[in-house]
Amino acid sequence: MKRIISVLILFVGITAFSQKIPTVMKTEFPEAALQDIVVTSEGDSVTIEKAFSNYKGQIVLLDLWATWCGDCIKNMPALKALHEKNPDVTFVYLSMDKTEEAWKKGIEKYQIEGQHFYMGNNWKGNFGTGIDLNWIPRYMVLDQNGKIADYYSVKADDPKVQETIDRLRNK
């Protein structure tokens, strides 16, 4: 009987706390999501729409991460390998850290190269809810027009990420 109860508790716990893959793979950001404010590495506040507008014409890998996120840190070597394999892709990092100080220290500590923005711990903001954010790291690939080409990946070495980049590169 104890064994059955233990298995039941384990199942309920895994089910309750596991990430849920979105049922709809969006190809565009909701307008409200693009109006959320981020802080640039220079300390300026801009909308996400303004931040992303700098990358029109480019393939973008978007990484939502935080220094407190163990899975984010574990994925760093695979992310760096992806970056080395795709030097023509723009890597944009949206930090979900609790403080700007932690964000800046994390960029330096983990030697993360790319474009950096601080969102704060804003899971329930318009951007987070607009992209069905339920887990980090979260990787998205944007096409040259800023449309979402790969909506949901949680590992940098997910083959779908590289396949999407290759497909966009060959357009």
Side-chain angles (χ1 to χ4, degrees), residues 3 10 13 16 18 29 35 47 57 67 70 72 76 93 101 114-115 124 134-135 153 155 160 164:
R3 177 173 244 152
L10 179 65
S18 66
F29 293 103
Q35 299 314 308
T47 64
T67 57
C72 299
M76 287 293 173
Y93 299 88
E101 183 180 352
Q115 307 301 309
K124 300 296 180 196
N134 61 3
W135 192 265
S153 293
K155 291 186 181 258
K160 182 174 62 161
T164 303

mmCIF file of all heavy atoms in Angstrom, residues 3 10 13 16 18 29 35 47 57 67 70 72 76 93 101 114-115 124 134-135 153 155 160 164:
data_model
loop_
_atom_site.group_PDB
_atom_site.id
_atom_site.type_symbol
_atom_site.label_atom_id
_atom_site.label_comp_id
_atom_site.label_asym_id
_atom_site.label_seq_id
_atom_site.Cartn_x
_atom_site.Cartn_y
_atom_site.Cartn_z
ATOM 1 N N ARG A 3 3.798 1.557 -1.170
ATOM 2 C CA ARG A 3 4.426 1.664 -2.487
ATOM 3 C C ARG A 3 3.464 2.311 -3.493
ATOM 4 O O ARG A 3 3.862 3.169 -4.278
ATOM 5 C CB ARG A 3 4.849 0.281 -2.970
ATOM 6 C CG ARG A 3 5.439 0.313 -4.350
ATOM 7 C CD ARG A 3 6.010 -0.997 -4.774
ATOM 8 N NE ARG A 3 7.425 -0.736 -4.935
ATOM 9 C CZ ARG A 3 8.380 -1.589 -4.790
ATOM 10 N NH1 ARG A 3 8.106 -2.818 -4.446
ATOM 11 N NH2 ARG A 3 9.623 -1.260 -4.985
ATOM 12 N N LEU A 10 4.483 10.521 -6.519
ATOM 13 C CA LEU A 10 5.518 10.823 -7.510
ATOM 14 C C LEU A 10 4.886 11.220 -8.846
ATOM 15 O O LEU A 10 5.276 12.222 -9.461
ATOM 16 C CB LEU A 10 6.440 9.620 -7.698
ATOM 17 C CG LEU A 10 7.561 9.795 -8.724
ATOM 18 C CD1 LEU A 10 8.534 10.874 -8.254
ATOM 19 C CD2 LEU A 10 8.288 8.481 -8.913
ATOM 20 N N GLY A 13 3.295 14.672 -8.565
ATOM 21 C CA GLY A 13 4.341 15.688 -8.498
ATOM 22 C C GLY A 13 4.964 15.953 -9.849
ATOM 23 O O GLY A 13 5.142 17.107 -10.254
ATOM 24 N N ALA A 16 2.357 17.726 -12.061
ATOM 25 C CA ALA A 16 2.052 19.098 -11.643
ATOM 26 C C ALA A 16 3.174 20.064 -11.982
ATOM 27 O O ALA A 16 2.931 21.223 -12.293
ATOM 28 C CB ALA A 16 1.765 19.128 -10.153
ATOM 29 N N SER A 18 5.837 19.499 -14.271
ATOM 30 C CA SER A 18 6.524 19.339 -15.548
ATOM 31 C C SER A 18 6.122 20.464 -16.496
ATOM 32 O O SER A 18 5.073 21.065 -16.361
ATOM 33 C CB SER A 18 6.190 17.982 -16.168
ATOM 34 O OG SER A 18 4.827 17.932 -16.524
ATOM 35 N N PHE A 29 4.704 37.251 -32.722
ATOM 36 C CA PHE A 29 4.541 37.698 -31.348
ATOM 37 C C PHE A 29 3.261 38.507 -31.241
ATOM 38 O O PHE A 29 2.992 39.350 -32.105
ATOM 39 C CB PHE A 29 5.720 38.583 -30.924
ATOM 40 C CG PHE A 29 7.025 37.850 -30.838
ATOM 41 C CD1 PHE A 29 7.963 37.980 -31.840
ATOM 42 C CD2 PHE A 29 7.312 37.032 -29.757
ATOM 43 C CE1 PHE A 29 9.167 37.323 -31.778
ATOM 44 C CE2 PHE A 29 8.519 36.358 -29.682
ATOM 45 C CZ PHE A 29 9.454 36.506 -30.687
ATOM 46 N N GLN A 35 5.336 45.109 -26.573
ATOM 47 C CA GLN A 35 5.357 46.397 -25.865
ATOM 48 C C GLN A 35 5.981 46.294 -24.472
ATOM 49 O O GLN A 35 6.179 47.327 -23.817
ATOM 50 C CB GLN A 35 3.944 46.979 -25.792
ATOM 51 C CG GLN A 35 3.322 47.248 -27.156
ATOM 52 C CD GLN A 35 4.253 47.960 -28.120
ATOM 53 O OE1 GLN A 35 4.825 49.003 -27.797
ATOM 54 N NE2 GLN A 35 4.445 47.391 -29.311
ATOM 55 N N THR A 47 11.264 49.070 -25.763
ATOM 56 C CA THR A 47 10.284 48.000 -25.923
ATOM 57 C C THR A 47 10.970 46.814 -26.594
ATOM 58 O O THR A 47 11.993 46.971 -27.277
ATOM 59 C CB THR A 47 9.091 48.437 -26.788
ATOM 60 O OG1 THR A 47 9.564 48.730 -28.103
ATOM 61 C CG2 THR A 47 8.360 49.625 -26.188
ATOM 62 N N GLY A 57 16.220 41.262 -41.204
ATOM 63 C CA GLY A 57 17.132 40.771 -42.228
ATOM 64 C C GLY A 57 18.109 39.722 -41.708
ATOM 65 O O GLY A 57 18.903 39.194 -42.479
ATOM 66 N N THR A 67 20.630 33.452 -14.519
ATOM 67 C CA THR A 67 21.794 32.880 -13.843
ATOM 68 C C THR A 67 21.395 31.885 -12.761
ATOM 69 O O THR A 67 22.170 30.990 -12.427
ATOM 70 C CB THR A 67 22.657 33.989 -13.206
ATOM 71 O OG1 THR A 67 21.859 34.748 -12.302
ATOM 72 C CG2 THR A 67 23.239 34.895 -14.265
ATOM 73 N N GLY A 70 19.493 26.396 -13.270
ATOM 74 C CA GLY A 70 20.464 25.320 -13.475
ATOM 75 C C GLY A 70 20.463 24.763 -14.885
ATOM 76 O O GLY A 70 21.530 24.505 -15.462
ATOM 77 N N CYS A 72 19.654 26.341 -17.569
ATOM 78 C CA CYS A 72 20.233 27.358 -18.458
ATOM 79 C C CYS A 72 21.750 27.240 -18.468
ATOM 80 O O CYS A 72 22.386 27.274 -19.525
ATOM 81 C CB CYS A 72 19.838 28.761 -18.001
ATOM 82 S SG CYS A 72 18.069 29.083 -18.015
ATOM 83 N N MET A 76 24.762 25.955 -21.501
ATOM 84 C CA MET A 76 25.729 26.918 -22.044
ATOM 85 C C MET A 76 26.745 26.295 -23.010
ATOM 86 O O MET A 76 26.997 26.863 -24.077
ATOM 87 C CB MET A 76 26.459 27.670 -20.928
ATOM 88 C CG MET A 76 25.614 28.686 -20.230
ATOM 89 S SD MET A 76 25.186 30.055 -21.315
ATOM 90 C CE MET A 76 24.052 30.935 -20.281
ATOM 91 N N TYR A 93 19.868 37.439 -26.093
ATOM 92 C CA TYR A 93 19.605 36.866 -24.781
ATOM 93 C C TYR A 93 18.667 37.767 -23.992
ATOM 94 O O TYR A 93 18.945 38.954 -23.822
ATOM 95 C CB TYR A 93 20.918 36.697 -24.007
ATOM 96 C CG TYR A 93 21.873 35.768 -24.703
ATOM 97 C CD1 TYR A 93 22.775 36.253 -25.656
ATOM 98 C CD2 TYR A 93 21.858 34.410 -24.439
ATOM 99 C CE1 TYR A 93 23.640 35.389 -26.317
ATOM 100 C CE2 TYR A 93 22.721 33.546 -25.092
ATOM 101 C CZ TYR A 93 23.615 34.045 -26.031
ATOM 102 O OH TYR A 93 24.465 33.190 -26.686
ATOM 103 N N GLU A 101 22.090 43.370 -11.527
ATOM 104 C CA GLU A 101 23.450 43.030 -11.111
ATOM 105 C C GLU A 101 23.749 41.559 -11.396
ATOM 106 O O GLU A 101 24.808 41.216 -11.928
ATOM 107 C CB GLU A 101 23.633 43.334 -9.619
ATOM 108 C CG GLU A 101 25.034 43.067 -9.128
ATOM 109 C CD GLU A 101 25.194 43.369 -7.636
ATOM 110 O OE1 GLU A 101 24.271 43.919 -7.013
ATOM 111 O OE2 GLU A 101 26.265 43.030 -7.107
ATOM 112 N N GLY A 114 26.896 37.948 -27.497
ATOM 113 C CA GLY A 114 25.663 38.203 -28.225
ATOM 114 C C GLY A 114 25.042 39.505 -27.764
ATOM 115 O O GLY A 114 25.696 40.329 -27.111
ATOM 116 N N GLN A 115 23.800 39.686 -28.092
ATOM 117 C CA GLN A 115 23.042 40.883 -27.716
ATOM 118 C C GLN A 115 22.260 40.575 -26.445
ATOM 119 O O GLN A 115 21.557 39.562 -26.391
ATOM 120 C CB GLN A 115 22.091 41.273 -28.851
ATOM 121 C CG GLN A 115 22.782 41.420 -30.198
ATOM 122 C CD GLN A 115 23.871 42.464 -30.156
ATOM 123 O OE1 GLN A 115 23.648 43.581 -29.710
ATOM 124 N NE2 GLN A 115 25.052 42.107 -30.640
ATOM 125 N N LYS A 124 5.021 36.543 -15.881
ATOM 126 C CA LYS A 124 3.594 36.786 -16.120
ATOM 127 C C LYS A 124 3.332 38.087 -16.880
ATOM 128 O O LYS A 124 2.193 38.496 -17.029
ATOM 129 C CB LYS A 124 2.831 36.819 -14.784
ATOM 130 C CG LYS A 124 2.939 35.525 -14.002
ATOM 131 C CD LYS A 124 2.315 34.370 -14.728
ATOM 132 C CE LYS A 124 2.436 33.087 -13.925
ATOM 133 N NZ LYS A 124 2.187 31.908 -14.701
ATOM 134 N N ASN A 134 6.809 28.879 -19.858
ATOM 135 C CA ASN A 134 6.577 28.050 -18.682
ATOM 136 C C ASN A 134 7.857 27.383 -18.198
ATOM 137 O O ASN A 134 7.824 26.588 -17.270
ATOM 138 C CB ASN A 134 5.511 26.998 -18.971
ATOM 139 C CG ASN A 134 5.912 26.060 -20.086
ATOM 140 O OD1 ASN A 134 7.016 26.144 -20.627
ATOM 141 N ND2 ASN A 134 5.027 25.166 -20.453
ATOM 142 N N TRP A 135 8.957 27.694 -18.853
ATOM 143 C CA TRP A 135 10.208 27.029 -18.518
ATOM 144 C C TRP A 135 11.339 27.825 -19.137
ATOM 145 O O TRP A 135 11.186 28.385 -20.221
ATOM 146 C CB TRP A 135 10.202 25.619 -19.125
ATOM 147 C CG TRP A 135 11.277 24.719 -18.632
ATOM 148 C CD1 TRP A 135 12.498 24.498 -19.210
ATOM 149 C CD2 TRP A 135 11.243 23.889 -17.487
ATOM 150 N NE1 TRP A 135 13.211 23.590 -18.484
ATOM 151 C CE2 TRP A 135 12.454 23.190 -17.403
ATOM 152 C CE3 TRP A 135 10.280 23.672 -16.499
ATOM 153 C CZ2 TRP A 135 12.748 22.294 -16.395
ATOM 154 C CZ3 TRP A 135 10.577 22.765 -15.495
ATOM 155 C CH2 TRP A 135 11.800 22.086 -15.447
ATOM 156 N N SER A 153 11.780 25.340 -28.065
ATOM 157 C CA SER A 153 12.861 24.399 -27.795
ATOM 158 C C SER A 153 13.399 24.719 -26.412
ATOM 159 O O SER A 153 13.520 25.888 -26.049
ATOM 160 C CB SER A 153 13.982 24.522 -28.835
ATOM 161 O OG SER A 153 13.537 24.100 -30.100
ATOM 162 N N LYS A 155 16.274 22.968 -25.251
ATOM 163 C CA LYS A 155 17.683 22.567 -25.253
ATOM 164 C C LYS A 155 18.351 23.179 -26.472
ATOM 165 O O LYS A 155 17.812 23.117 -27.582
ATOM 166 C CB LYS A 155 17.826 21.046 -25.289
ATOM 167 C CG LYS A 155 17.365 20.388 -24.008
ATOM 168 C CD LYS A 155 17.647 18.904 -24.027
ATOM 169 C CE LYS A 155 17.159 18.271 -22.760
ATOM 170 N NZ LYS A 155 18.187 17.993 -21.818
ATOM 171 N N LYS A 160 16.068 20.355 -33.872
ATOM 172 C CA LYS A 160 15.108 21.255 -34.524
ATOM 173 C C LYS A 160 15.660 22.675 -34.640
ATOM 174 O O LYS A 160 15.382 23.373 -35.612
ATOM 175 C CB LYS A 160 13.797 21.230 -33.732
ATOM 176 C CG LYS A 160 12.698 22.081 -34.307
ATOM 177 C CD LYS A 160 11.388 21.884 -33.554
ATOM 178 C CE LYS A 160 11.535 22.307 -32.118
ATOM 179 N NZ LYS A 160 10.282 22.579 -31.441
ATOM 180 N N THR A 164 16.120 24.384 -38.254
ATOM 181 C CA THR A 164 15.403 25.629 -38.567
ATOM 182 C C THR A 164 16.369 26.683 -39.088
ATOM 183 O O THR A 164 16.090 27.358 -40.084
ATOM 184 C CB THR A 164 14.653 26.157 -37.325
ATOM 185 O OG1 THR A 164 13.760 25.136 -36.867
ATOM 186 C CG2 THR A 164 13.874 27.418 -37.650
#
